[in-house]
């Protein structure tokens, strides 16, 4: 028996040795089913015949080898190994997270390969009258007598039970059809006419083919970044190389997919969490075999096993959705750069509002900077106006100046978009007599009133309950909504503009499958329309008929304890504003605020995001904050607050032995209690990336033995983007 070292999906930072029959074709990257305590787990072979293995008589045998060839190729194993080391996460959980759910369950991969059916020798020799008593079997036998059929074609005309009956009679045999790479187009597809800046960007990308290069495409909203992507891809497809396009959210995949499918006559597939398990495995197989030319997906598409990857594109590279916020906390943008280095292919990062980290790399010549300063069709950038709410009469949360401008644009037949980053009807219910507010019993937050579902919902832990009839403090029945959400804004607009169609885009209205696609189709219909939405509207969408954008409440993000808040607000304002004026008519953006003199608002409006970002970088350098220092975040949560504080205090005392580290904390998290747990955090800063990771490795090895570590839940987040 041979010893194999297996990585298992358990929260332990170690591997496990097992015995396997040397006659089996075991390879690194293959799945095995092994005993683990009282359970059976599916793991990944990580090492063959390790030199430091345990004695053979102390090891258990592998129960089954599930693959004859690796499901994780060598290059992908190297990427995942790097990710596990960099983010200090157990390797077994990292490896398993890169596989589709059906493979994680131990399903046989051959069961999901493309199949074809043909008559056996017995079936070919069968007389034409033998199946006359079964018309359906006879019809299928006749169809296969002409030629074999693929499974997809066969099931279009015949039922699966009929096929099974012929298989059971051994008249038909099943064959796996080897997948073939996509056919390269004979010549590049001609696209739209490019501006000089777009042409320079496309030239820079195509010249980088075949080698690792990092490129940052910084283009204002409407500058034609997608056209740069499309024309860069065109010549690559002629070389029969694959392309990975990562978008930050599921909501952006349909329109991105449609544009790529309309331009290229090659297989273009999507990958995101809304697909079924079988659909995701199909996409995984197509990418692995080379049958898929282009994959458009969310962050986990980064781990697909491509046959011949030639280019990686990260659209909206600044977006926080690219960072996984629980479990294996990786950043898709940063790991995509590592994958491009391993693949020896270029990576193109695109955004109208690049992150300060990427901009810092571009200014320091680590990235090739490709600016697109003007809109592709020559339209002017939208004009900003600050609406001072302290000097206006408000009607349903909208100033009189705002309503007058909305009426004017609707009268011209244009569309108007109102952005409010708060779903539900109201952020809370308030007692009109004593001021009591509906609070979540498990979080340091208020519960949001959802009028349509008649529920109070906590948007942090998901807890919901019925609307109370009385105040929880004084017993009064005078409970009224406090504040405004998209649901209430939609209702109020229906009263103000009864003859105008309204489309609401938020997580509640698009929960049903196909609802988002239907809503986007409605928006693209011509004619006056009001569009109400949350952050789903903020990026990527092209609404040519929108001439006015109203940011209903910009004040909520002006004052925050997170040092990244100004950057995120500037990105949000710029992205939302970019939906205006993309057609033939000009664009206007109204920002409703009680603080029109705020320096951040004035900087964005007067100078634009590019100038703001450079001044923000200067401020980060002066305060020694990322990207000028490395940041790691230890967070702890427990039912008793003192346990978190004590554990982090012990960690802080241990971390002080590393002089390169600077500590902030232990401090309560900005949201001190969530889902019934008290939350504390400790922030670690270091100017040297190497020194930071060396310290983290030693700290993790030490804290595993602390008794208090078993009384709390703790996590380490390297390069965190959310400090809440």
């Amino acid at each position: 028996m041979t010893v194999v070292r297996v990585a298992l999906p358990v929260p332990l930072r170690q591997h496990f040795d097992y015995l396997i029959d040397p006659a089996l074709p075991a390879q690194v990257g293959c799945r095995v089913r092994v005993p683990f305590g009282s359970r059976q787990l599916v793991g990944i072979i990580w090492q063959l015949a390790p030199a430091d293995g345990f004695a053979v008589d102390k090891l258990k045998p592998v129960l089954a080898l599930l693959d004859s060839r690796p499901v994780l190729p060598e290059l992908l194993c190297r990427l995942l190994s790097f990710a596990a080391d960099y983010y200090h996460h157990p390797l077994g959980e990292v490896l398993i997270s890169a596989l589709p759910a059906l493979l994680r369950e131990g399903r046989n991969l051959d069961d999901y390969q493309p199949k074809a059916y043909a008559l056996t020798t017995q079936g070919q020799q069968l007389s034409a009258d033998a199946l006359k008593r079964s018309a359906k079997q006879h019809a299928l036998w006749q169809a296969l007598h002409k030629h074999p059929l693929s499974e997809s074609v066969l099931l279009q005309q015949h039922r699966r039970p009929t096929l099974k009956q012929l298989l059971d009679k051994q008249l038909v045999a099943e064959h796996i059809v080897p997948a073939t790479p996509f056919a390269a187009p004979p010549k590049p597809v001609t696209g739209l006419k490019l501006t000089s800046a777009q042409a320079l960007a496309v030239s820079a990308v195509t010249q980088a083919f075949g080698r690792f290069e990092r490129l940052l495409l910084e283009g204002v909203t409407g500058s034609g970044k997608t056209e740069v992507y499309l024309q860069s891809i065109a010549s690559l497809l002629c070389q029969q190389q694959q392309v990975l396009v990562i978008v930050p959210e599921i909501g952006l995949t349909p329109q991105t997919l449609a544009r790529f499918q309309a331009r290229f006559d090659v297989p273009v597939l999507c990958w995101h969490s809304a697909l079924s398990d079988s659909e995701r495995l199909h996409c995984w197989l197509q990418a692995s075999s080379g049958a898929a030319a282009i994959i458009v997906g969310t962050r986990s598409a980064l781990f697909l096993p491509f046959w011949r990857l030639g280019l990686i594109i990260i659209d909206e590279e600044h977006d926080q959705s690219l960072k996984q916020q629980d479990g294996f906390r990786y950043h898709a943008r940063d790991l995509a750069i590592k994958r491009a280095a391993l693949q020896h292919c270029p990576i193109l990062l695109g955004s109208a509002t690049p992150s300060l980290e990427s901009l810092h790399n571009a200014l320091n010549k680590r990235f090739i900077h490709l600016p697109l300063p003007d809109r592709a069709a020559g339209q002017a950038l939208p004009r900003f106006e600050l609406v001072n709410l302290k000097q206006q009469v408000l009607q349903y949360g909208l100033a009189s100046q705002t309503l007058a401008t909305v009426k004017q644009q609707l009268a011209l037949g244009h569309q108007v978009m109102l952005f409010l980053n708060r779903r539900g009807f109201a952020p809370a219910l308030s007692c009109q007599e004593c001021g009591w507010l509906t609070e979540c019993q498990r979080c340091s937050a208020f519960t949001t009133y959802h009028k349509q579902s008649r529920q109070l919902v906590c948007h942090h832990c998901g807890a919901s309950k019925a609307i109370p009839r009385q105040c929880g403090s004084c017993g009064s029945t005078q409970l009224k909504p406090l504040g405004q959400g998209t649901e209430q804004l939609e209702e109020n607009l229906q009263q103000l503009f009864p003859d105008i169609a309204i489309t609401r885009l938020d997580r509640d209205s698009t929960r049903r499958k196909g609802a988002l696609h239907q809503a986007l189709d409605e928006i693209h219909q011509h004619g006056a329309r009001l569009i109400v939405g949350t952050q789903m509207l903020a990026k990527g969408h092209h609404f040519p008929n929108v001439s006015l954008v109203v940011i209903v409440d910009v004040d909520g993000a002006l004052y925050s304890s997170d040092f990244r808040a100004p950057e995120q607000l500037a990105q949000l304002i710029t992205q939302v504003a970019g939906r205006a004026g993309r057609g033939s008519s000009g664009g206007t953006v109204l920002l409703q605020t009680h603080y029109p003199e705020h320096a951040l608002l004035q900087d964005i409006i007067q100078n634009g995001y590019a100038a703001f970002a450079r001044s923000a970088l200067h401020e980060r350098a002066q305060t020694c904050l990322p990207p000028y220092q490395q940041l790691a975040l230890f967070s702890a949560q427990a039912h008793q607050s003192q346990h978190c504080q004590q554990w982090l205090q012990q960690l802080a005392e241990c971390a002080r032995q590393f002089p390169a580290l600077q500590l902030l904390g232990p401090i309560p998290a900005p949201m001190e209690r969530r889902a019934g747990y008290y939350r504390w955090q400790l922030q670690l800063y270091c100017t040297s990336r190497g020194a930071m990771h060396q310290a983290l490795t030693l700290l993790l090895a030490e804290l595993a033995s602390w008794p208090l570590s078993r009384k709390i839940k703790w996590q380490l987040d390297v390069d965190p983007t959310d400090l809440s």
Side-chain angles (χ1 to χ4, degrees):
M1 300 292 281
T2 304
V3 178
V4 289
R5 184 153 289 169
V6 179
L8 294 175
V10 293
L12 299 173
R13 302 171 192 277
Q14 64 183 84
H15 309 317
F16 301 88
D17 291 352
Y18 290 89
L19 298 175
I20 194 169
D21 187 343
L24 294 175
Q27 301 177 61
V28 172
C30 288
R31 295 173 301 150
V32 289
R33 181 176 282 108
V34 298
F36 188 79
S38 60
R39 299 178 291 165
Q40 293 184 9
L41 298 180
V42 174
I44 303 293
I45 296 178
W46 192 243
Q47 192 175 353
L48 300 173
D52 58 342
F54 290 90
V56 174
D57 58 344
K58 295 182 179 180
L59 302 181
K60 296 180 180 179
V62 166
L63 299 176
L65 176 66
L66 302 178
D67 304 302
S68 58
R69 59 186 183 278
V71 293
L72 292 177
E74 181 198 358
L75 187 143
L76 199 52
C77 285
R78 290 165 60 191
L79 174 70
L80 295 168
S81 177
F82 167 83
D85 290 341
Y86 185 85
Y87 293 102
H88 297 273
H89 198 80
L91 178 64
E93 292 188 342
V94 173
L95 295 179
I96 289 295
S97 68
L99 294 177
L102 293 175
L103 296 187
R104 293 200 295 266
E105 295 171 5
R107 301 288 185 89
N108 186 355
L109 190 56
D110 288 340
D111 292 343
Y112 299 91
Q113 298 281 8
K115 298 179 181 66
Y117 297 90
L119 293 179
T120 62
T121 304
Q122 181 181 344
Q124 292 171 349
Q125 295 173 353
L126 195 70
S127 65
D129 298 332
L131 297 173
K132 279 293 182 86
R133 296 177 63 181
S134 176
K136 293 180 180 179
Q137 293 183 33
H138 186 264
L140 178 54
W141 176 83
Q142 282 186 318
L144 291 173
H145 204 275
K146 296 176 183 178
H147 52 75
L149 295 175
S150 67
E151 184 176 34
S152 58
V153 172
L154 185 149
L155 293 178
Q156 290 176 4
Q157 302 293 331
H158 306 275
R159 298 180 60 198
R160 191 176 290 276
T162 306
L163 172 63
K164 186 176 185 303
Q165 289 166 353
L166 293 185
L167 287 169
D168 292 341
K169 293 178 180 179
Q170 298 184 350
L171 300 178
V172 173
E174 177 184 272
H175 303 281
I176 293 178
V177 180
T180 56
F182 71 94
K187 59 180 181 179
V189 179
T190 304
L192 302 176
K193 184 179 179 181
L194 300 176
T195 64
S196 58
Q198 284 178 309
L200 286 172
V202 171
S203 176
V205 177
T206 54
Q207 288 177 13
F209 288 161
R211 70 176 192 274
F212 171 54
E213 200 69 80
R214 295 159 291 188
L215 306 102
L216 175 63
L217 182 65
E218 182 183 9
V220 298
T221 53
S223 60
K225 293 184 290 295
T226 305
E227 187 62 28
V228 172
Y229 302 158
L230 292 168
Q231 297 207 21
S232 300
I233 288 170
S235 59
L236 192 68
L237 295 177
C238 295
Q239 304 172 30
Q240 208 178 15
Q241 295 193 55
Q242 296 170 288
V243 179
L244 169 61
V245 182
I246 295 181
V247 294
E249 293 180 0
I250 294 175
L252 294 178
T253 51
Q255 66 171 26
T256 307
L257 192 72
R259 291 194 66 176
F260 279 75
Q261 288 174 333
R263 178 67 64 89
F264 302 116
D265 186 21
V266 294
V268 183
L269 300 183
C270 65
W271 171 278
H272 52 71
S273 59
L275 299 177
S276 66
D277 289 345
S278 58
E279 288 173 328
R280 285 164 70 90
L281 182 55
H282 171 74
C283 181
W284 188 91
L285 289 169
Q286 296 288 89
S288 176
S289 64
I294 303 171
I295 301 287
V296 178
T298 49
R299 58 177 178 258
S300 59
L302 173 67
F303 303 124
L304 290 172
F306 286 90
W307 166 69
R308 198 176 172 198
L309 186 59
L311 174 65
I312 301 175
I313 296 173
I314 310 288
D315 194 26
E316 308 294 352
E317 66 84 28
H318 68 278
D319 199 279
Q320 282 199 91
S321 300
L322 294 172
K323 171 77 171 180
Q324 175 76 21
Q325 297 295 352
D326 53 17
F328 171 33
R329 299 191 169 200
Y330 67 93
H331 200 301
R333 179 196 63 215
D334 299 340
L335 279 188
I337 293 173
K338 179 62 178 180
R339 177 154 196 181
L342 294 172
Q343 299 271 178
H344 300 292
C345 74
I347 179 169
L348 177 61
L349 311 176
S351 177
T353 54
S355 63
L356 295 188
E357 287 80 5
S358 295
L359 189 60
H360 175 65
N361 284 325
L363 295 176
N364 286 325
K365 308 300 181 183
R366 297 191 191 98
F367 292 3
I368 297 175
H369 192 202
L370 306 173
L372 299 178
D374 303 308
R375 286 188 158 178
Q379 311 101 319
L381 291 172
R383 179 173 53 88
F384 284 92
E385 291 184 21
L386 287 172
V387 179
N388 189 350
L389 296 180
K390 291 183 289 190
Q391 301 175 1
Q392 299 278 339
V393 177
L394 298 183
Q395 187 174 2
Y396 299 130
L398 299 174
S400 55
Q401 175 187 342
T402 301
L403 286 174
T405 309
V406 170
K407 292 176 182 177
Q408 178 187 13
Q409 293 301 317
L410 292 175
L412 294 172
H414 298 158
Q415 292 180 338
V416 176
M417 192 174 95
L418 295 99
F419 174 82
L420 179 60
N421 205 21
R422 192 184 303 123
R423 62 188 177 95
F425 191 86
L429 287 179
S430 172
C431 175
Q432 299 299 291
E433 295 190 13
C434 71
W436 175 79
L437 295 171
T438 53
E439 292 182 295
C440 178
Q441 300 299 314
R442 307 170 71 227
C443 302
S444 303
F446 300 113
T447 51
T448 301
Y449 171 42
H450 287 255
K451 187 176 182 179
Q452 291 183 354
S453 61
R454 298 292 301 167
Q455 285 187 319
L456 291 175
V457 181
C458 177
H459 289 174
H460 301 283
C461 70
S464 62
K465 61 181 180 180
I467 307 297
R469 296 183 179 181
Q470 293 179 307
C471 170
S473 177
C474 69
S476 170
T477 58
Q478 300 299 312
L479 298 179
K480 300 293 182 183
L482 182 68
Q484 188 179 41
T486 51
E487 196 178 316
Q488 183 181 165
L489 181 58
E490 179 189 25
E491 182 179 292
N492 294 337
L493 289 171
Q494 287 172 343
Q495 298 179 25
L496 292 169
F497 305 97
D499 300 327
I500 300 297
I502 300 177
T503 300
R504 175 163 61 94
L505 278 178
D506 56 26
R507 193 187 304 175
D508 299 322
S509 65
T510 59
R511 196 179 303 274
R512 183 171 43 85
K513 188 173 184 179
L516 175 60
H517 194 274
Q518 180 183 348
L520 292 175
D521 285 344
E522 291 174 356
I523 292 172
H524 286 105
Q525 294 172 2
H526 295 290
R529 178 178 293 275
L530 289 166
I531 307 165
V532 178
T534 58
Q535 201 161 344
M536 293 179 67
L537 290 172
K539 48 192 173 285
H541 297 292
H542 178 66
F543 302 136
N545 297 318
V546 171
S547 60
L548 174 65
V549 168
V550 179
I551 302 180
V552 177
D553 179 18
V554 77
D555 296 341
L558 284 177
Y559 300 98
S560 172
S561 60
D562 191 341
F563 68 87
R564 285 194 170 90
E567 174 192 2
Q568 292 165 1
L569 178 59
Q571 290 168 342
L572 184 64
I573 292 174
T574 306
Q575 292 284 347
V576 174
R579 303 314 110 200
R582 298 168 77 97
S584 56
S585 57
T588 304
V589 182
L590 301 182
L591 287 83
Q592 294 195 151
T593 176
H594 289 90
Y595 310 100
E597 71 286 349
H598 195 283
L600 174 59
L601 296 179
Q602 290 294 334
D603 191 12
I604 296 170
I605 291 172
Q606 300 297 332
N607 305 317
Y609 179 80
F612 158 80
R614 284 153 179 80
S615 65
L617 273 175
H618 179 65
E619 183 179 294
R620 295 269 186 96
Q622 290 181 319
T623 53
C624 296
L625 289 171
Y628 296 94
Q629 280 208 95
Q630 308 307 312
L631 171 60
L633 176 71
F634 277 99
S635 57
Q637 57 181 11
H639 291 296
Q640 297 184 30
S641 178
Q642 65 268 24
H643 287 167
C644 298
Q645 185 179 7
Q646 291 169 5
W647 186 83
L648 287 175
Q649 189 62 51
Q650 186 176 356
L651 180 63
E653 292 172 1
C654 188
R656 289 191 180 96
Q657 65 180 298
F658 303 101
L661 296 184
Q662 292 179 311
L663 308 182
L664 176 59
I667 54 175
M671 178 175 286
E672 186 173 357
R673 192 164 178 260
R674 179 185 290 176
Y677 288 90
Y678 291 94
R679 306 162 68 240
W680 285 66
Q681 58 183 226
L682 175 66
Q683 299 174 21
L684 279 64
Y685 294 86
C686 187
T687 56
S688 167
R689 193 184 301 272
M692 169 70 85
H693 286 278
Q694 184 179 10
L696 290 176
T697 301
L698 295 173
L699 287 173
L700 289 170
E702 187 161 339
L703 64 82
S705 61
W706 297 348
L708 203 55
S709 296
R710 292 188 287 272
K711 294 184 179 180
I712 64 166
K713 294 182 179 180
W714 63 271
Q715 287 181 322
L716 168 63
D717 192 354
V718 178
D719 301 334
T721 60
D722 182 9
L723 299 179
S724 64

